[in-house]
């Protein structure tokens, strides 16, 4: 109860009402309120309290979306260290290097990763590739290769791995293309805005260029 009382005393409502009540007291001492000065002072206090803005809770400060990528960056470093330890075909190694390089470019701190952080589906694609798809594809290849040495299968595990990595690379490239198209749209929108602004003239009225009037431009 005491905390609520103190809180009200410090509130904008009480401070504004008190300031208005002081005006009422000044009117009273000036002889303008007469015998009804308590009503005037109380009324001004109430009016001031009503006019004061209501208390506004502080908005919660959430984590910056780009900071959520820090864990993904660390996981990508771990993934690369794992890929360096495994024995993979040269073609698969090259494709995996291209894929991880693309993912690293998306996650590198800066405006690119900030744009990625604003796309939850894009973040999901990158996280799925780093934390599940690539490790699972490589591990499946290593296990299948061991069995193939004992009993050859219908398809070489190397071909299957390369196919999987190519699909993952295409998925990551699609994400990059989508982010690029968003920036291109933003650039075109700015061009359109500048063109419309130039055509509006002063006060939004289009001014005819001198060449269209048939008269030489005024000096």
């Amino acid at each position: 109860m005491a905390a609520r009382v103190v809180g009200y005393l410090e509130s904008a409502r009480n401070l504004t009402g008190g300031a208005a009540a002081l005006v009422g007291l000044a009117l009273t001492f000036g002889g303008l309120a007469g015998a009804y000065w308590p009503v005037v002072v109380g009324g001004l206090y109430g009016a001031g309290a009503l006019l004061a803005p209501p208390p506004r809770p502080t908005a919660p400060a959430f984590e910056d979306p780009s900071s959520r990528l820090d864990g993904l960056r660390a996981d990508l470093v771990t993934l690369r260290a794992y890929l360096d330890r495994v024995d993979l075909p040269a073609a698969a190694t090259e494709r995996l290097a291209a894929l991880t390089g693309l993912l690293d470019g998306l996650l590198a701190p800066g405006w690119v990763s900030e744009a990625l952080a604003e796309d939850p589906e894009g973040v999901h694609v990158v996280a799925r590739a780093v934390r599940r798809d690539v490790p699972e594809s490589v591990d499946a290849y290593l296990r299948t290769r061991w069995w193939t040495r004992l009993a050859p299968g219908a398809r070489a595990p190397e071909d299957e791995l390369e196919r999987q990595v190519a699909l993952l690379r295409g998925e990551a490239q699609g994400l990059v293309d989508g982010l690029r198209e968003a920036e291109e749209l933003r650039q075109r929108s700015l061009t359109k805005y500048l063109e419309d602004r130039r055509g509006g003239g002063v006060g939004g009225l289009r001014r005819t260029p001198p060449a269209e009037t048939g008269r030489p431009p005024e000096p």
Side-chain angles (χ1 to χ4, degrees), residues 199-216:
V202 179
L205 298 177
R206 181 178 177 83
R207 294 184 296 180
T208 303
E212 297 180 7
T213 63
R215 301 192 303 270

Side-chain angles (χ1 to χ4, degrees), residues 57-68 117-118:
T58 303
F62 294 108
E63 182 183 23
D64 185 4
S66 60
S67 65
R68 302 173 187 173
E118 298 297 331

Side-chain angles (χ1 to χ4, degrees), residues 20-101:
L22 288 177
V23 174
L25 289 176
L27 294 176
T28 299
F29 291 138
L32 299 178
Y36 299 99
W37 69 268
V39 177
V40 173
V41 173
L44 288 175
Y45 176 87
L50 290 176
L51 291 175
R56 180 176 58 87
T58 303
F62 294 108
E63 182 183 23
D64 185 4
S66 60
S67 65
R68 302 173 187 173
L69 301 180
D70 292 340
L72 265 178
R73 295 186 185 104
D75 291 342
L76 181 58
V77 172
T78 302
L79 176 63
R80 280 181 155 174
Y82 164 71
L83 295 177
D84 290 339
R85 294 196 307 267
V86 297
D87 181 22
L88 297 174
T93 299
E94 183 178 349
R95 291 191 177 186
L96 282 170
L99 173 59
T100 54

